[in-house]
Amino acid sequence: MIRRFEAQARKFLTPLLKERLDPGHAAAAVFLGIFIGIVPIYGLQTIAAVGVALLFRLNKPLTVAGTFINNPLLQPLIIFSSVELGCLLIRGSFQPLKLSALAIARTHIDKEKLFIWAIGSVALGIVVGGAGAAITAAVVHLRLRASANSALRERVRFVNGMFAKCALTAREFVRWKLRLDRIFELLAAENLGSGTVVDLGCGYGMALGFAAFGDNGRRLVGCDLDARRIAVARQALGTLNAEVTVADIRHFEFPPAGLILILDVLQYLPAAEQTALLKRCCSTLAPDGILVFRVHDGERGLRSAIAMAFERLIFVFGGDGFRPRMLSIAEYRGALENAGMQLEERRFQNRLPLAHVLFVARKPLARAAH
C-alpha cells in the first residue's frame, strides 16, 4: 500500500517539478517565492505563490518552496532584518533594537513601525530573492549541462556501437566526426520529435542512428549519391528500421516525416533548387514536424573565410568542378517563413575553425487543417 502511494506520488510530482525548469524560469520562480515568503502577508503566502506561478507560467512547486524561507527558525531573523533595513531606508541609519523594545513590539505595533517593516521586507525580499535566483540559475544550468552531456555521451556510444563491425576507415571517420563536429551536441539538446526520420545526404547514416537512439523501431529514411557510403550505412543501420538509397536529393521521394535533416548538402545545389528543396521539405513534414539543416555562417570574418575555403577544397576533389553556392541567412530565413514555419536559429562555432548556422524549423499544428 505504501509503495503504491509512493509510486503514485512520484508519478504526480515528477512532471510538476520539471515544468518550466530552464535556468531563467527557475530563477524567476525562486525569486518570487522568496519575495512572497519575506513580505508580511502571513496566511496568504502559499495562495499568492501559486497565483503568481500560474500568472507567469512558472514552476509551481519551486515557487511555493521559495516561500518556505519564512519558517519558525528564520522568521525572527527575517523580521529583525526587515525592520533594520527599513530604518536604514527611511531614517538613514540602523536602529538598535533592545529586548524590551522587541517585547513591546509583540503586542503593539504602530503605523510607523508597520510601514518601516513593510518597506524593509520588500527591500530584503528583493535582495535575498535575487541571491536565491542567481544561485538557482547557476545550479539548474549546471544540472542541465551535465544531463545534456550525459545524453550526448550515451548517443555517441550508441552510434559508435552501430559502426563497430564496419571497416576501420569508416569506424575512425565516424568516431572523429562525432568527436569534432558540434552538430551532434546541438542535436542531442534538441527535441528531435517523433515519427519517420528523413536524412537528405545521409552519408554513413550517423545522423539517422543519432535520431534513432532510444527508439530502435523508429523509421529511418535516407539517401546519398555516394554508393560506398550508402553501403556502409546499410551495414551500420542493419538492426534498425532503416531504408537508405543511392539517390539525388532533388528527385528523391520521401514519406511524410516527423524530422527531416539536411546537413552540409544544400551548398551542392543552385540557389533556386535550394529554396525549392526547402519548400518541398516543409510541405512534406507532418504537423508539428521539424526540419533541421545547417549552412555556413558568412558573417564571422576569418572563420567564415576558412569555412568557404574548406568547402571549395571539397568541391575540387568531389564537386565536379562546381563552386559551393551559399544563400544569405536572410534568404534561408525568408524561404522558411514564407512556408509558414516557426523558426529558430542557432549560430555556433565548431571545434574545427568553422562557423555555422543551424536552422530548426517546426511546422505548426494549425496547418493540419489546410
Side-chain angles (χ1 to χ4, degrees):
M1 190 74 175
I2 295 176
R3 289 179 181 176
R4 186 180 304 172
F5 174 78
E6 289 178 348
Q8 290 298 324
R10 191 179 298 110
K11 184 178 180 180
F12 175 75
L13 289 174
T14 297
L16 288 178
L17 293 173
K18 291 183 178 179
E19 65 178 14
R20 306 305 294 269
L21 205 56
D22 58 276
H25 286 93
V30 169
F31 173 82
L32 289 173
I34 291 176
F35 180 84
I36 291 170
I38 288 177
V39 295
I41 53 172
Y42 304 119
L44 300 175
Q45 290 170 329
T46 300
I47 296 174
V50 173
V52 297
L54 290 171
L55 178 63
F56 296 109
R57 298 182 179 179
L58 301 174
N59 185 295
K60 292 182 284 294
L62 197 57
T63 308
V64 172
T67 66
F68 293 168
I69 191 172
N70 187 0
N71 58 72
L73 183 63
L74 294 178
Q75 190 178 47
L77 179 60
I78 290 173
I79 295 174
F80 173 81
S81 301
S82 297
V83 172
E84 287 291 282
L85 192 54
C87 288
L88 177 64
L89 294 174
I90 295 173
R91 298 176 179 174
S93 63
F94 294 113
Q95 177 179 336
L97 292 181
K98 299 179 181 179
L99 291 177
S100 58
L102 290 175
I104 294 173
R106 289 181 59 188
T107 58
H108 177 72
I109 300 179
D110 57 33
K111 291 183 179 180
E112 182 186 8
K113 292 178 180 177
L114 184 60
F115 180 69
I116 289 174
W117 180 16
I119 293 297
S121 67
V122 169
L124 183 65
I126 293 173
V127 172
V128 179
I135 294 172
T136 300
V139 170
V140 172
H141 174 74
L142 291 175
R143 181 175 179 181
L144 291 178
R145 185 174 180 179
S147 177
N149 289 340
S150 176
L152 176 62
R153 286 194 298 270
E154 291 178 4
R155 285 179 181 267
V156 167
R157 192 179 301 116
F158 173 76
V159 174
N160 278 323
M162 288 168 35
F163 289 85
K165 296 183 179 179
C166 295
L168 177 62
T169 52
R171 290 202 313 271
E172 288 301 304
F173 175 86
V174 169
R175 185 168 70 90
W176 284 103
K177 179 77 170 176
L178 290 170
R179 179 174 297 181
L180 296 176
D181 196 339
R182 287 193 60 225
I183 186 64
F184 298 102
E185 179 183 327
L186 271 65
L187 288 177
E190 294 288 341
N191 174 11
L192 298 182
S194 59
T196 300
V197 182
V198 174
D199 188 357
L200 301 177
C202 64
Y204 288 130
M206 286 181 289
L208 288 172
F210 204 81
F213 175 77
D215 184 4
N216 290 358
R218 192 172 188 182
R219 186 183 180 191
L220 311 175
V221 177
C223 72
D224 198 279
L225 285 174
D226 192 325
R228 181 181 60 83
R229 293 194 174 195
I230 287 294
V232 174
R234 286 172 178 165
Q235 181 183 4
L237 301 172
T239 59
L240 302 177
N241 182 18
E243 309 161 29
V244 288
T245 308
V246 178
D248 189 321
I249 62 174
R250 294 170 294 182
H251 313 299
F252 181 62
E253 295 295 331
F254 51 90
L259 173 65
I260 298 178
L261 302 169
I262 311 176
L263 305 178
D264 306 320
V265 177
L266 283 176
Q267 65 268 28
Y268 285 83
L269 304 178
E273 291 183 353
Q274 291 187 41
T275 54
L277 178 62
L278 292 176
K279 182 178 179 181
R280 182 159 70 97
C281 290
C282 293
S283 64
T284 308
L285 273 174
D288 203 37
I290 306 167
L291 168 64
V292 178
F293 68 95
R294 163 170 81 174
V295 295
H296 289 301
D297 189 346
E299 303 172 1
R300 303 300 289 272
L302 179 60
R303 284 182 177 270
S304 299
I306 293 175
M308 291 304 299
F310 184 72
E311 282 295 330
R312 292 190 181 101
L313 184 63
I314 293 176
F315 271 68
V316 167
F317 289 100
D320 296 328
F322 293 106
R323 293 169 62 86
R325 302 168 179 89
M326 307 291 185
L327 305 185
S328 69
I329 300 303
E331 288 175 304
Y332 287 120
R333 186 187 302 127
L336 296 170
E337 290 176 345
N338 290 337
M341 302 292 283
Q342 298 172 344
L343 179 62
E344 295 182 20
E345 300 173 20
R346 313 261 195 273
R347 291 179 181 268
F348 69 100
Q349 296 180 356
N350 232 320
R351 292 185 177 88
L352 296 172
L354 305 175
H356 301 280
V357 178
L358 186 71
F359 287 90
V360 181
R362 184 181 296 274
K363 187 171 186 177
L365 283 168
R367 292 179 64 86
H370 297 292

